[in-house]
Amino acid sequence: MKNVRRRYIAIEIDSNEAFDSREFMDAVWSAVSKLYGEYGASHCGLTLINYDLEKQVAVIRTVHTSLNMIRAALASITKINDKLVAMHVMSVSGTIKALYKKIKKQPI
Amino acid sequence: MKKIYADLHLCPNLKNVEHITKMINKASRLGYNTVGINLYQNYNEQEIRKLQGISEEANIDLISRIDLKPKTPRELIYNLRKLRRRLEVIAVICESKNIARHAAKDRRVDLLNFPSLDFRRRFFDKAEAELASNSLTALEIDIKPLLILDGPSRIRLLSNLRRETIIAQKFHVPIVISSGVSDIMLMRKPKELVALASLFDLDEASALKAVSENPTLIIKRNREKLNPRFVAPGIRIIREGKDC
């Protein structure tokens, strides 16, 4: 079986409100399935790895072939529970360790 | 070499300095090097200087831009004559076929923008593309409608954009992707605009060009023309005086 190449994405959640991890993931799943349908969403292998409620930073995992789909879906999110929100990809990496190293250098 | 990213279409509330400052600062934080702010027709130089002061503080290059919405070709020509030597980027919002054709023909127009969601009212067809290609006019695609629309209207818009980008590429019309937003929360990073462009099948290399090289080229060309030493493309005054 072919080894699955994964990508870890750090996301900055830009909003005046705070959202919990469930609301965040619901919004991401909803955006992916709206743009690419349930069939497309099933290829993404989307998983939440970490969610920092205080810093409003989330780390998700996807397969490398779906990275652009996830980027587009994240960019298309404008609201969570009718509250304005923008999600910006901070960094993308092939390992969690490298991802945390990268985002440590960036100001949030 | 590091890419220079430009968003040529920001529409802040020009009466609210705080809003403009926030928008420019956010653009800088999102990784843009250049932003174009949509001015109204009766702007004054003092206002532009004030905006430039704000952008210098944010370490970002500011472009003066105007969206012309003429009702007749005569009005378009009048406005172009009045504004071309004063502003760096001129976009024409094409709301009728007649205006679209005249704008595409005119070398003084930098960007063609088609705001309508109705298929029949988007006039970027092969004839339009051929005219635009000859006059170096670019097709501007605003991302804002993709963010605010939903359901069938977004589907229809994506289908129109897909058709238009295919035509533009076929006729070598440069494509410029801008945000076109007036709300800070709708601003996106350049790479996010590139990802959104994949929704209408624009490949990554072309989309990257549309947010970096193509707008930068327009700015460079126009700044050269606005320079008092400019005579004609490729001809500049280097030295003046009796000893020449």
Side-chain angles (χ1 to χ4, degrees):
Chain A
M1 207 176 102
K2 207 177 169 188
N3 199 15
V4 182
R5 287 165 69 191
R6 287 167 171 162
R7 289 292 177 268
Y8 295 90
I9 311 169
I11 302 155
E12 178 197 353
I13 302 154
D14 185 2
S15 177
N16 297 329
E17 310 280 333
F19 306 100
D20 61 36
S21 58
R22 203 196 172 99
E23 287 172 318
F24 164 76
M25 274 317 273
D26 282 350
V28 177
W29 275 119
S30 155
V32 174
S33 48
K34 248 186 202 173
L35 285 179
Y36 300 101
E38 287 176 8
Y39 175 77
S42 71
H43 284 106
C44 294
L46 204 59
T47 316
L48 180 70
I49 301 292
N50 190 14
Y51 188 83
D52 191 331
L53 192 70
E54 210 175 287
K55 288 183 186 166
Q56 291 282 294
V57 172
V59 175
I60 59 170
R61 186 180 72 198
T62 182
V63 291
H64 90 287
T65 47
S66 304
L67 181 62
N68 219 26
M69 282 165 68
I70 298 296
R71 269 188 196 269
L74 288 170
S76 74
I77 298 171
T78 54
K79 277 178 187 175
I80 296 180
N81 295 340
D82 284 331
K83 284 158 197 157
L84 285 175
V85 68
M87 291 189 193
H88 302 296
V89 172
M90 293 169 72
S91 198
V92 180
S93 181
T95 61
I96 298 182
K97 195 178 165 186
L99 183 79
Y100 281 120
K101 231 186 221 179
K102 275 187 188 176
I103 59 172
K104 250 187 190 173
K105 290 178 195 166
Q106 287 183 27
I108 298 168
Chain B
M1 207 172 84
K2 206 181 168 200
K3 271 201 183 318
I4 293 173
Y5 293 111
D7 183 353
L8 291 186
H9 202 191
L10 288 183
C11 315
N13 179 3
L14 293 175
K15 284 174 188 157
N16 186 347
V17 181
E18 197 189 340
H19 187 236
I20 301 170
T21 314
K22 272 187 185 173
M23 239 178 167
I24 290 176
N25 285 338
K26 177 138 190 197
S28 169
R29 205 165 63 86
L30 293 179
Y32 289 100
N33 306 85
T34 310
V35 287
I37 287 197
N38 188 18
L39 302 166
Y40 41 84
Q41 284 207 18
N42 303 321
Y43 76 96
N44 57 45
E45 293 288 332
Q46 212 178 354
E47 280 172 297
I48 291 190
R49 248 173 267 135
K50 199 162 76 182
L51 293 176
Q52 274 167 345
I54 297 168
S55 61
E56 269 170 33
E57 270 177 39
N59 203 12
I60 206 164
D61 190 11
L62 185 96
I63 305 297
S64 53
R65 169 212 167 106
I66 197 157
D67 284 356
L68 296 178
K69 248 187 195 178
K71 287 195 173 72
T72 59
R74 204 190 166 103
E75 193 186 333
L76 171 71
I77 291 164
Y78 172 77
N79 284 329
L80 285 172
R81 206 172 286 156
K82 200 171 94 178
L83 299 163
R84 182 64 277 189
R85 291 242 161 231
R86 290 156 66 192
L87 293 161
E88 285 162 315
V89 172
I90 291 185
V92 175
I93 311 290
C94 305
E95 285 180 332
S96 70
K97 196 169 189 170
N98 201 7
I99 293 297
R101 295 289 190 259
H102 271 86
K105 256 192 287 186
D106 205 312
R107 280 179 171 266
R108 291 170 294 182
V109 176
D110 300 311
L111 302 166
L112 297 170
N113 196 318
F114 299 88
S116 177
L117 300 175
D118 184 3
F119 169 73
R120 276 152 296 197
R121 295 189 62 79
R122 294 182 74 95
F123 308 103
F124 194 81
D125 50 16
K126 286 179 184 172
E128 180 85 1
E130 200 167 352
L131 290 173
S133 172
N134 292 335
S135 62
L136 293 174
T137 311
L139 170 71
E140 185 179 49
I141 297 173
D142 280 342
I143 289 296
K144 185 189 172 186
L146 279 181
L147 300 177
I148 56 169
L149 291 175
D150 208 3
S153 45
R154 181 156 71 179
I155 294 167
R156 242 173 277 134
L157 175 69
L158 283 174
S159 141
N160 287 337
L161 289 176
R162 198 168 293 132
R163 184 181 56 88
E164 285 168 11
T165 49
I166 290 169
I167 295 172
Q169 284 182 321
K170 193 176 170 191
F171 287 87
H172 306 290
V173 176
I175 298 170
V176 172
I177 298 176
S178 312
S179 59
V181 296
S182 49
D183 187 346
I184 294 164
M185 294 303 272
L186 292 177
M187 289 173 77
R188 296 289 182 266
K189 283 185 177 180
K191 286 215 171 152
E192 289 163 358
L193 297 188
V194 170
L196 284 169
S198 71
L199 295 176
F200 45 87
D201 292 347
L202 194 63
D203 60 287
E204 202 181 334
S206 308
L208 269 171
K209 251 185 159 185
V211 290
S212 62
E213 278 169 50
N214 293 347
T216 318
L217 212 71
I218 292 171
I219 296 161
K220 196 180 161 194
R221 195 174 62 213
N222 288 350
R223 282 194 170 156
E224 198 187 317
K225 282 182 187 171
L226 290 173
N227 192 322
R229 292 187 167 272
F230 174 83
V231 180
I235 307 169
R236 268 191 316 133
I237 299 170
I238 294 170
R239 204 160 47 153
E240 276 178 291
K242 285 176 187 169
D243 58 334
C244 290

